[in-house]
Amino acid sequence: MPQIVLDATGFRNFQTGVGRYAYNLISNLVPMAPDLRWVILVSHRLTHRHPIMDFAQKEMAIQIVAINAPVIGPRRDIRFLFPISRYDLYHCLNSNHPLFVHRKSVVTLHDFMYINYPQFLGGFSSLKRRYLELLMSHLARRASHIIAISHFLADDFRAYYQNKIKRTLPLSVIYEAATQFSNQSSPTSISAGANPPYFLYYGELRPHKNIDRLIAAFCILKKKIDSPLRLLIAGTPHPSYQLPRPLPAGIDYLGAADDRRLSQIVPASIALCFVSLYEAFGLPILEAMQAGTAVITSNVSAMPEIAGDAAYLVDPYSVDHIADAMYQLYNDQDARAEYIRRGKARVAQFSWQDTARRTLEIYRSLL
């Protein structure tokens, strides 16, 4: 029976975009292929409370292997010098294909941002970029197949490497999808009337997420609105970014938010403000649409591709443009309702089952 290694070392004990992708892919993929056996690699720091542990207990074909290997860095590459187990195919779910995996391999490419925008890497950016260039060049030359999560990302990657390597890139585009937040509950505690209405950002806090311009736009909006209004920011801070302190009046940082918390605050918000400077996909866009929330997002990188005509698109470099979008959705209930309607239709076009089915087709073509 063929054995496939799924490298899910990108799972964390808090929710991340890569973690959502990995869990939803695995949980849909495994039931589709009863003729295959699966080894799932996770970090030795992952707790048994993670949902993948519960899923693995229910599936006889899954073996969880905890390894001491970081998501990225030379120590990860050294760890993969040693055989994990016998396997027929290796799939790295988190972009960072180890340098010393030379068997048949698939890698899911989640972004290419830091090659083109090394300024977002923080300290030692030049050194970090050189290492990333080494990883990505290895991926382009060695991976049996590359899955890009958007056409924007595929085009970006292909344009950079197609003339630098001696083969045609084995590249497919397979979209992510959205699911309802687990532990779904009624948003009564945050509903209108209980608290001032609010806009929302959630996601990891990094420099390219454009939080500072969003805060500046909200401050402009507050000057136009003669009523209580808030901006809620939820997510795990990255070492490369710090929120301004103190935060301006009306802005609250909620810290990291799990699915239960998101199931409360996302549906009750006026709109999700996801005005990043770069996204290779932008999963919160679809998650907000799934939750019945209007979306304001950027008109750059993959965000227009994913949002279609179902979100209010803004220039993320223009504080005034962001503020104008927030003002319109706050004041125009009909426009907001129309974006919610379009969002529900748009998100229905994305399916984790389709993601898994198309990924399985790639596996079978390589086995």
Side-chain angles (χ1 to χ4, degrees):
M1 182 178 289
Q3 184 155 280
I4 298 177
V5 171
L6 300 178
D7 184 345
T9 49
F11 276 138
R12 288 292 174 264
N13 291 316
F14 56 87
Q15 193 65 263
T16 66
V18 170
R20 282 195 188 279
Y21 166 81
Y23 179 78
N24 283 290
L25 176 65
I26 293 169
S27 61
N28 283 275
L29 186 61
V30 171
M32 287 183 180
D35 59 318
L36 300 177
R37 293 195 62 81
W38 310 86
V39 174
I40 302 177
L41 303 183
V42 300
S43 167
H44 70 296
R45 299 183 184 278
L46 197 70
T47 72
H48 286 278
R49 294 189 300 272
H50 194 281
I52 194 62
M53 301 300 188
D54 289 336
F55 179 75
Q57 285 185 346
K58 301 171 185 175
E59 295 287 342
M60 296 294 293
I62 291 180
Q63 177 188 4
I64 296 286
V65 175
I67 63 171
N68 184 3
V71 179
I72 190 171
R75 192 159 60 86
R76 170 180 171 83
D77 298 311
I78 292 170
R79 178 65 180 83
F80 278 87
L81 272 169
F82 308 100
I84 301 301
S85 65
R86 183 196 68 78
Y87 63 92
D88 300 284
L89 182 67
Y90 165 87
H91 184 179
C92 181
L93 303 179
N94 59 14
S95 297
N96 302 317
H97 190 295
L99 296 176
F100 304 116
V101 170
H102 295 297
R103 298 191 195 184
K104 288 182 180 178
S105 62
V106 178
V107 61
T108 299
L109 185 64
H110 289 277
D111 72 56
F112 197 57
M113 174 178 61
Y114 294 124
I115 300 296
N116 292 324
Y117 302 97
Q119 65 269 26
F120 292 142
L121 283 166
F124 304 102
S125 60
S126 178
L127 182 62
K128 292 176 182 176
R129 186 187 185 280
R130 284 199 293 271
Y131 175 70
L132 284 173
E133 171 68 22
L134 175 65
L135 282 184
M136 293 296 170
S137 295
H138 173 76
L139 187 163
R141 289 178 170 86
R142 296 287 185 178
S144 305
H145 205 94
I146 303 165
I147 296 171
I149 59 174
S150 66
H151 289 283
F152 163 79
L153 179 58
D155 292 344
D156 204 17
F157 190 80
R158 189 181 288 111
Y160 192 88
Y161 281 113
Q162 195 63 79
N163 295 326
K164 297 182 180 184
I165 62 174
K166 296 179 180 180
R167 68 168 182 163
T168 300
L169 284 168
L171 187 59
S172 298
V173 174
I174 302 179
Y175 284 143
E176 298 181 347
T179 52
Q180 288 190 339
F181 300 116
S182 61
N183 298 316
Q184 195 86 9
S185 61
S186 173
T188 52
S189 62
I190 315 288
S191 60
N195 288 286
Y198 60 89
F199 289 92
L200 174 68
Y201 166 83
Y202 78 88
E204 197 171 14
L205 307 186
R206 288 177 178 261
H208 70 279
K209 297 298 186 178
N210 210 24
I211 306 297
D212 291 348
R213 286 192 181 91
L214 176 59
I215 289 173
F218 178 77
C219 291
I220 292 173
L221 177 66
K222 284 279 286 183
K223 293 177 181 178
K224 297 180 179 180
I225 303 295
D226 187 23
S227 63
L229 185 64
R230 290 190 298 163
L231 170 64
L232 303 187
I233 297 173
T236 303
H238 190 268
S240 61
Y241 176 77
Q242 287 187 338
L243 278 170
R245 297 292 185 184
L247 285 169
I251 300 177
D252 298 311
Y253 173 56
L254 304 181
D258 60 15
D259 273 9
R260 181 173 180 80
R261 186 64 167 146
L262 291 174
S263 74
Q264 295 175 329
I265 62 177
V266 176
S269 62
I270 299 168
L272 172 72
C273 299
F274 195 74
V275 291
S276 177
L277 301 176
Y278 179 103
E279 295 292 329
F281 191 84
L283 191 52
I285 294 170
L286 294 185
E287 291 176 339
M289 291 176 178
Q290 178 80 20
T293 299
V295 176
I296 298 169
T297 194
S298 304
N299 61 5
V300 299
S301 64
M303 288 167 279
E305 177 185 342
I306 303 308
D309 67 349
Y312 195 127
L313 299 181
V314 299
D315 176 358
Y317 294 94
S318 171
V319 171
D320 288 335
H321 201 189
I322 298 168
D324 288 345
M326 297 170 78
Y327 183 80
Q328 179 166 342
L329 290 190
Y330 176 80
N331 274 305
D332 191 337
Q333 295 297 315
D334 291 339
R336 182 166 163 253
E338 177 62 16
Y339 279 117
I340 291 172
R341 184 192 67 78
R342 291 184 190 179
K344 289 180 178 178
R346 179 65 177 169
V347 76
Q349 299 174 29
F350 299 79
S351 161
W352 283 117
Q353 282 201 326
D354 186 58
T355 302
R357 178 186 57 78
R358 295 189 60 204
T359 303
L360 183 60
E361 288 173 356
I362 291 171
Y363 293 173
R364 295 205 185 280
S365 73
L366 295 174
L367 287 172

